[in-house]
Amino acid sequence: MTVKCGICPNNCIIKNGKSGLCGVRSAADGRINLPYYGLISAASADPIEKKPLYHFHPGKSIFSIGFFGCSLACPFCQNHRISKDFNTSPDDLSPVTPADIAARAKKSGSFGIAFTYSEPIVHFEYVIKTAEAARALGLKTVLVTNGYINENKGIELLKYIDAVNIDLKSFSDDFYRMELKGQLKPVLNFIENSVTRTHTEITTLVIPGKNASIKEISSAAGFIAELGRNIPYHLSAYYPAFKYRVPATLPSALIETAEAAKQKLNFVYTGNIYGGLTDTACPDCGNLLISRTGYQTEVTGFKKGKCSGCGASSEKIGIVL
Ligand code: SF4
């Protein structure tokens, strides 16, 4: 007996007693079984900038939780111990209910809850239930994801989410197919659906010799710019991790790539390096709106929700204060 899981484009046909490619969704008695439902690998209060989200409640801390498993097979995964290598049996952990997690987030004083660290999409049902519980307590919801989801499921999920950071791991379908065992198109579809429904920021981990050419990053920036020049694009430096031994991204190369992307977008940021492009200036008048040093953030250039230089509203700029 088999059952099909339609959450992500892997569209696994799962045999009874076996798991899909994510390792967390399985089949039992001809139905999808969720043995990892409510099993949390990590919970922590993080600066929202760590997601990274630079234009959504800048300077605030958000209660963040992670799960196990992932739908892609990135050989450079920076969180492989919880995404791919996890040896945690569901029997070794106690599930936490969505209501309990939302209550913990509320009690922590956070303005919201972030689903992050590993891939939340493969925990689709739990994320929705927890987002509902969070919103019932007046909390915001954040999704940090690879964006690898079937279109109907993505549209459904976005109804429950207030802000998303989507990993655009490359702008090459070959790279997605060869290195990640996935496809580019579903991720682009999810980005398109996300920008019209919720606050959206995009991240690319820039890996030398793999996805780091100025031509490729400029193409990705061009795609994002067609959806909106004010969508923040984060370019993060890669460090060797998991199966990859490619040398780390040079800060100078990352900044050069970011400057090229800035030809097309108003907000391009560098991450995982010291310094770089981290501050936010008003795209209309150049006034410094937000300064960042590491995870220290100061919102200095707004007065009553408007740019103190030219009066442009934070909504127009695309910043949720
Ligand atoms: S969510 Fe998991 S089980 Fe479902 S299709 Fe994707 S990889 Fe397969």
Side-chain angles (χ1 to χ4, degrees), residues 4-14 19-26 32 70-72 121-123 148 150:
K4 181 180 172 186
C5 174
I7 295 290
C8 86
N10 288 329
N11 290 315
C12 300
I13 309 287
I14 312 171
S19 300
L21 288 171
C22 57
V24 301
R25 303 174 71 85
S26 60
I32 288 291
C70 186
S71 47
L72 292 176
I121 280 174
V122 300
H123 299 271
Y148 200 55
N150 283 327

Side-chain angles (χ1 to χ4, degrees), residues 77-132:
C77 181
Q78 316 263 307
N79 285 329
H80 61 97
R81 284 188 183 83
I82 53 172
S83 67
K84 285 291 160 197
D85 290 348
F86 58 102
N87 294 311
T88 309
S89 160
D91 298 333
D92 296 335
L93 291 172
S94 303
V96 188
T97 67
D100 280 348
I101 282 290
R104 275 182 66 184
K106 183 80 178 174
K107 197 172 168 198
S108 74
S110 170
F111 76 98
I113 182 162
F115 306 101
T116 177
Y117 305 137
S118 68
E119 181 47 55
I121 280 174
V122 300
H123 299 271
F124 182 85
E125 297 82 357
Y126 187 82
V127 168
I128 287 178
K129 286 284 176 210
T130 306
E132 283 182 321

